Amino acid sequence: MTDQDRDLWDEFDRLKPAAPDRVPGHPGGQPQGFGFRTGVRSARVALGFAVYALILGTVLVLTGAVFFIAEGRWLMVGLMAVIEAVFIFWFRQLARQARNRRAAQ
């Protein structure tokens, strides 16, 4: 048998679980997400992710806006403004979920 013929998951399938499942069917237990089963345990991490997503999205939108302004494509600049508004809306939603998670703990 050559390396290409063997099943890549054989080694994984032979491993025994590190610990029994706390919730049957969920290896390692039920994830405790902040609204969409991410497994994030901390409100601080959730808020950090929201800030990271906002900053990354804003940088990408500003880059696009600068490019389109230089090209004189004002319709695309308007589209960049709409995209930024969507980023801000979803940032507020993620921040709200993180805040609600903090209050629940």
Side-chain angles (χ1 to χ4, degrees):
M1 179 186 287
T2 65
D3 277 348
Q4 291 180 346
D5 294 334
R6 70 183 177 92
D7 184 10
L8 297 176
W9 290 100
D10 281 343
E11 181 180 356
F12 177 77
D13 290 337
R14 285 193 304 264
L15 296 174
K16 301 226 184 299
D21 294 343
R22 291 176 285 180
V23 176
H26 289 277
Q30 182 79 18
Q32 301 295 319
F34 59 100
F36 42 86
R37 290 185 183 250
T38 59
V40 173
R41 305 275 194 255
S42 163
R44 207 176 281 174
V45 171
L47 188 59
F49 173 74
V51 170
Y52 169 75
L54 177 68
I55 291 171
L56 180 64
T58 301
V59 167
L60 292 173
V61 166
L62 287 176
T63 302
V66 167
F67 175 77
F68 290 127
I69 288 171
E71 295 287 318
R73 300 182 66 191
W74 298 106
L75 184 61
M76 295 303 288
V77 173
L79 178 63
M80 294 289 106
V82 169
I83 291 172
E84 180 63 20
V86 170
F87 275 120
I88 291 171
F89 171 78
W90 284 110
F91 167 76
R92 293 182 67 201
Q93 294 299 317
L94 286 171
R96 183 182 51 79
Q97 288 178 354
R99 223 179 7 262
N100 289 344
R101 177 152 176 77
R102 182 177 295 139
Q105 290 180 345

